[in-house]
Amino acid sequence: MTKRLSCPPAPGPLEAYAARFDDLLATLAQRRGFREYLAGLLLPRDRNKTLTCLAGTEPVAGAQHAAVQRLQFFLSESTWDQEAVNARRLQLLLTDPATAPHGGGVLVVDDSGDRKDGKATAHVGTQYLGSVGKTGRGVVTVTTCWADERLYYPLHAVPYTPAHHFPGGKNDPAFRTKLQIGGALARQAAEAGVAFRAVAADCAYGDHDSFRRDLSAAGLPFVMALKRGHGTWQYKDAFRPVDAARELAWHGPGRPGDWTPVTRTFRGGRTATWWAADARLGWWGPDGNIRLVVATTDPATLPENATWYLATDLPRPGSPREQHSQPPAADLTEVVRIYGLRHWVEQSYKQVKDELGWADFQVRSDAAIRRHQTLVNCAFSFCWDTWFAPEQPVGEPEPDPGPERGHTDVPPAPGGLLASRHPRRPWLADALGHAATLLASVDNQAPAHRPPSPARHRRHRQTP
């Protein structure tokens, strides 16, 4: 049997993380490409993290550089399996006591899109793009994320393919809507052993009965937002969630009537008092199969930007459904807490896009796009892995293993900007903030120096 060739180590603590994937990468070129790609994603850059940027070469002019061509082949032509790599990443997260999911967390289903021009790229189409807040030409990816009050990380990602890519359009057997993809990803997370209290989603998913039925059929409880104008028709008139909320009695904080005070605790210890109540909308009610929960900062005015209309199948404590329900009952505080954790996915999108180059790929094939997304998620998970790793004393440098067989003139993974030791840990549980403790040039400044444009302020569709 041919002896397995040693791979040039990745810089700093990244080598220990990358080595856990070596058995899934059959060749030396794959193992080296995996390390170089992650190192390029993690290092700070002043421009988009395209392949030339990851390799540290000039844009356009450096596209033919050996390091760039090697990464291009690794991403587009190599034979490694991105699904196996993602499964190993999740296995590491699920088996580590510091990151293992528990029954109090939330599974967030969401999607986000970014601009991409041209017609030859897989999954490109004219559709709503969360990064720009309007319809445009680009790629949309449906994702799942696990979150609790302490940490959050992505689980699975599947790009949505518009109907015009299929011979039969929407009637083609292979076509799947975003709702179908989201339901499949939720089931996949449960089958992978991810524990969670409920599935949380914004109104793009909560407004659809088919998505809720899909989760109910799989035995997955949910808490989802509704648009304030989501209508139930009675006597030829639309009766909306906002109308149901206005029918609840409210006489001020001293006499709240139907409303219950709910204390929300944010990261950093800040607290805020909201008000929540069970409302009735058609056949939805406190003791029905689906409850309508309204949460707001002001029951008198129901401010549009600070009011949630939530549909959940978690039973109310003391209701007749509680005795026959498999998931435990949830009071108003618990329902608000569950949906409040959904917003971690927005922070996750901001980090993978602004810092790790989620949308910076310049490849066309479906396999290459999925591989890029998998590698970005690996870089994100590496930050959490190192955040929870115990402090290690700085020892003597390891001896040089000597030149490897093959093309020794190709530069190894970029590592010139790595710190020689861990700076002081920041107190915020921020995955990208902790990556700054590994990279000296990120320790005191953000990777991007240009001021955010209005489009960058809205990285994803906002929940009403």
Side-chain angles (χ1 to χ4, degrees):
M1 176 178 265
T2 304
K3 182 180 179 181
R4 193 177 182 89
L5 299 178
S6 61
C7 180
L14 181 59
E15 172 59 28
Y17 183 79
R20 303 174 188 177
F21 298 84
D22 279 351
D23 61 313
L24 304 177
L25 305 171
T27 66
L28 170 63
Q30 292 176 4
R31 297 191 296 276
R32 181 168 57 187
F34 184 78
R35 287 162 169 79
E36 292 180 354
Y37 210 96
L38 293 189
L41 292 172
L42 290 164
L43 287 172
R45 303 293 188 191
D46 291 332
R47 57 188 174 97
N48 290 344
K49 294 187 176 181
T50 59
L51 290 175
T52 55
C53 178
L54 297 184
T57 65
E58 292 292 330
V60 183
Q64 302 304 317
H65 191 279
V68 179
Q69 291 295 302
R70 187 168 67 244
L71 289 181
Q72 175 71 54
F73 185 88
F74 170 72
L75 199 62
S76 301
E77 305 296 337
S78 190
T79 58
W80 61 281
D81 184 1
Q82 71 271 7
E83 295 295 338
V85 170
N86 192 64
R88 175 64 54 83
R89 179 184 68 87
L90 294 182
Q91 180 186 7
L92 297 175
L93 290 169
L94 269 59
T95 56
D96 187 343
T99 57
H102 54 81
V106 171
L107 178 69
V108 183
V109 177
D110 207 79
D111 63 73
S112 184
D114 300 279
R115 288 189 184 276
K116 287 294 175 182
D117 295 326
K119 298 181 179 180
T121 303
H123 313 298
V124 165
T126 301
Q127 51 198 325
Y128 181 87
L129 305 177
S131 62
V132 296
K134 62 181 181 180
T135 300
R137 193 163 185 82
V139 175
V140 173
T141 302
V142 183
T143 65
T144 49
C145 171
W146 188 90
D148 66 0
E149 290 81 359
R150 187 176 56 105
L151 79 159
Y152 50 96
Y153 47 78
L155 298 176
H156 301 96
V158 173
Y160 164 72
T161 307
H164 72 268
H165 286 269
F166 298 93
K170 292 185 178 181
N171 295 323
D172 195 284
F175 173 76
R176 293 195 299 169
T177 65
K178 298 172 189 176
L179 302 176
Q180 292 171 329
I181 296 174
L185 292 183
R187 295 191 299 271
Q188 185 177 2
E191 292 168 358
V194 179
F196 50 88
R197 182 71 166 93
V199 176
D202 66 3
C203 58
Y205 292 83
D207 274 338
H208 295 273
D209 296 336
S210 60
F211 185 66
R212 295 192 299 270
R213 286 196 299 266
D214 193 4
L215 295 181
S216 296
L220 302 178
F222 57 82
V223 176
M224 300 183 188
L226 303 170
K227 293 179 182 177
R228 65 198 307 266
H230 179 91
T232 295
W233 277 260
Q234 295 178 342
Y235 306 107
K236 299 182 180 180
D237 294 324
F239 189 70
R240 305 166 300 169
V242 63
D243 299 323
R246 288 169 180 164
E247 289 193 349
L248 298 171
W250 169 258
H251 308 289
R255 291 192 304 154
D258 295 326
W259 297 86
T260 301
V262 173
T263 300
R264 297 188 61 205
T265 303
F266 301 90
R267 190 178 68 176
R270 182 176 67 88
T271 61
T273 299
W274 281 44
W275 298 88
D278 276 293
R280 294 184 178 276
L281 181 68
W283 56 88
W284 294 359
D287 298 332
N289 292 330
I290 295 181
R291 299 162 58 193
L292 173 63
V293 175
V294 183
T296 182
T297 57
D298 186 2
T301 61
L302 300 174
E304 188 171 348
N305 293 330
T307 302
W308 298 341
Y309 305 95
L310 308 176
T312 178
D313 62 347
L314 294 172
R316 180 180 60 87
S319 68
R321 290 186 57 235
E322 183 180 12
Q323 301 177 0
H324 308 288
S325 174
Q326 182 176 2
D331 59 13
L332 296 173
T333 301
E334 175 70 357
V335 173
V336 173
R337 182 193 75 88
I338 291 173
Y339 188 74
L341 292 176
R342 191 211 75 85
H343 293 81
W344 279 122
V345 74
E346 309 291 352
Q347 178 75 0
S348 173
Y349 282 142
K350 180 179 179 181
Q351 292 173 330
V352 299
K353 291 184 178 184
D354 292 351
E355 314 295 344
L356 295 178
W358 175 271
D360 294 342
F361 61 85
Q362 289 184 335
V363 290
R364 296 185 181 275
S365 68
D366 168 70
I369 293 174
R370 292 174 185 258
R371 286 175 173 180
H372 171 78
Q373 294 174 345
T374 297
L375 293 169
V376 169
N377 286 340
C378 285
F380 188 96
S381 300
F382 160 74
C383 297
W384 281 119
D385 180 79
T386 310
W387 170 270
F388 290 112
E391 291 283 359
Q392 298 292 337
V394 179
E396 295 295 329
E398 297 183 1
D400 186 358
E404 59 170 317
R405 189 177 70 193
H407 300 285
T408 58
D409 58 332
V410 178
L417 297 179
L418 288 181
S420 59
R421 58 184 299 175
H422 289 257
R424 182 175 60 86
R425 291 175 180 261
W427 288 103
L428 291 180
D430 183 350
L432 266 296
H434 184 67
T437 67
L438 309 179
L439 308 174
S441 60
V442 191
D443 192 30
N444 295 319
Q445 61 183 3
H449 300 286
R450 64 180 184 271
S453 64
R456 288 168 61 85
H457 281 294
R458 189 177 185 182
R459 303 303 299 183
H460 190 65
R461 173 176 56 251
Q462 298 297 313
T463 302

